[in-house]
Amino acid sequence: MQAAWLLGALVVPQLLGFGHGARGAEREWEGGWGGAQEEEREREALMLKHLQESLGLPTARGDDSLEGTPEDKGAWETEEGPQGEEEEEEEATPTPSPSPSPSPTPEDAITYILGRLAGLDTGLHQLHVRLHVLDTRVVELTKGLRQLREAVGDARDAVQVLQEAQGRAERERGRLEGCLKGLRLGHKCFLLSRDFEAQAAAQARCVARGGSLAQPADRQQMEALARYLRGALAPYNWPVWLGVHDRRAEGLYLFENGQRVTFFAWHRAPDPEPGSQPSAAPHPLSPNQPNGGALENCVAQASDDGSWWDHDCERRLYYVCEFPF
């Protein structure tokens, strides 16, 4: 930069003096050489402008100041006075151009990249630490869930055991209650229940208490059961569910245990009075049984005379349970 300033200080005054000499020669050779001198002045002015721009010097006020006559120059100096000289000195003083910012070196780029990589490595390390903590918590949670599942399984097994024990206790209680409060006959005990239930629900209630609906195996048991029901429900006549039905096939009567019934005690209409003519029409109040067909498939025993009647299985009646002794 100092060399540029030195070159400007040496060259510019010479060029300016060369310009003034050219203007003096112009006055001497105004004749035939005017056109060539004009071209020479333009070329010199262009060279001076390019040199000032390359050195960073301020350009001249204009080509008019260089092309004017000495009289015009003197008049301009008179008008401007010392202030004009000061302005020329200020214009001649070059203004330093701002120095450009230094471009990054390869070492700076490498340092920047290494810094970014170090930041990424730190972030990845923190992420790995958090993932490890999360994995540890997931393992603990899985272990806790496994223990909870095992505890639930143990509790379920315990509840099942308790339910089974309760069922056995309930069945034993029903069996003892049936034999203590009901009718004991051989290896069976019969107990009447005064709850109104459908035939299937009555069977389920008897099974829950350790027995089943009454299944008289022979006529002797049937007659003993009839006496028990008549004594328990007298003086009224109530139908009571037995464990007999023909749901599998019409007319094929079976006990609840699947055995076939070998004897029957169906109700029969009363015989006509002596001397009266027998009627072919059925008795309106007590027709012969069974008479329900496919609509009445379950058997109930009348409590007054022990006869069997077929009924709709969904009808709600009393029922009698039997228990093994």
Side-chain angles (χ1 to χ4, degrees):
M1 182 62 69
Q2 293 177 358
W5 281 107
L6 180 59
L7 180 61
L10 293 175
V11 174
V12 172
Q14 294 179 3
L15 293 176
L16 293 175
F18 181 80
H20 288 289
R23 283 192 294 272
E26 178 186 1
R27 285 191 299 269
E28 296 177 357
W29 298 92
E30 289 180 356
W33 299 98
Q37 290 178 354
E38 184 69 22
E39 294 178 0
E40 186 69 20
R41 283 196 300 270
E42 292 178 359
R43 186 165 55 252
E44 290 175 359
L46 183 61
M47 291 174 61
L48 179 60
K49 181 179 180 181
H50 289 171
L51 180 60
Q52 290 175 349
E53 291 178 355
S54 63
L55 295 177
L57 298 175
T59 60
R61 300 178 62 90
D63 295 340
D64 296 340
S65 63
L66 297 177
E67 296 176 358
T69 62
E71 292 78 11
D72 296 335
K73 182 178 180 182
W76 181 80
E77 289 178 354
T78 304
E79 292 177 0
E80 295 294 332
Q83 184 177 0
E85 296 177 355
E86 293 178 359
E87 291 179 357
E88 287 181 356
E89 292 178 357
E90 292 178 358
E91 290 178 357
T93 305
T95 56
S97 60
S99 60
S101 59
S103 60
T105 62
E107 290 79 4
D108 296 336
I110 294 175
T111 303
Y112 174 76
I113 294 174
L114 291 178
R116 294 300 301 271
L117 291 176
L120 291 176
D121 183 70
T122 303
L124 288 175
H125 176 70
Q126 295 178 357
L127 180 61
H128 289 164
V129 172
R130 294 181 180 180
L131 288 176
H132 176 71
V133 174
L134 180 61
D135 184 68
T136 303
R137 293 182 179 178
V138 169
V139 171
E140 294 177 355
L141 180 61
T142 303
K143 183 178 179 181
L145 289 176
R146 187 182 301 110
Q147 293 176 355
L148 181 61
R149 190 180 295 109
E150 293 176 355
V152 170
D154 296 340
R156 187 183 296 110
D157 295 340
V159 170
Q160 185 177 0
V161 171
L162 290 176
Q163 290 177 350
E164 292 177 356
Q166 182 180 3
R168 289 193 299 269
E170 186 70 21
R171 289 191 295 270
E172 185 65 19
R173 175 178 172 273
R175 186 183 67 83
L176 293 175
E177 183 180 10
C179 293
L180 291 175
K181 295 182 179 181
L183 171 66
R184 178 182 175 185
L185 185 62
H187 298 286
K188 291 183 179 181
C189 299
F190 297 98
L191 179 64
L192 173 66
S193 176
R194 289 180 171 82
D195 296 328
F196 292 98
E197 297 288 352
Q199 201 269 351
Q203 169 66 12
R205 295 284 296 273
C206 292
V207 171
R209 299 177 63 181
S212 66
L213 284 175
Q215 306 174 50
D218 51 30
R219 189 168 296 277
Q220 180 181 1
Q221 291 184 8
M222 192 272 296
E223 292 176 354
L225 180 60
R227 290 192 298 268
Y228 167 68
L229 295 178
R230 185 168 51 250
L233 297 175
Y236 305 103
N237 181 22
W238 291 95
V240 180
W241 285 127
L242 298 179
V244 180
H245 61 84
D246 65 343
R247 287 190 292 258
R248 183 177 301 178
E250 180 63 26
L252 178 61
Y253 289 90
L254 303 174
F255 289 117
E256 288 293 339
N257 58 10
Q259 295 181 358
R260 189 170 181 174
V261 179
T262 57
F263 71 95
F264 300 94
W266 294 114
H267 172 76
R268 292 291 180 260
D271 295 331
E273 296 180 359
S276 62
Q277 295 293 332
S279 175
H283 196 282
L285 299 178
S286 58
N288 294 333
Q289 299 293 318
N291 65 339
L295 300 178
E296 298 177 348
N297 296 320
C298 295
V299 177
Q301 181 172 335
S303 63
D304 58 348
D305 59 356
S307 59
W308 291 6
W309 295 65
D310 60 345
H311 291 281
D312 182 4
C313 296
E314 297 301 321
R315 185 178 179 182
R316 299 170 64 87
L317 304 175
Y318 289 165
Y319 59 94
V320 58
C321 299
E322 73 170 34
F323 304 93
F325 179 73

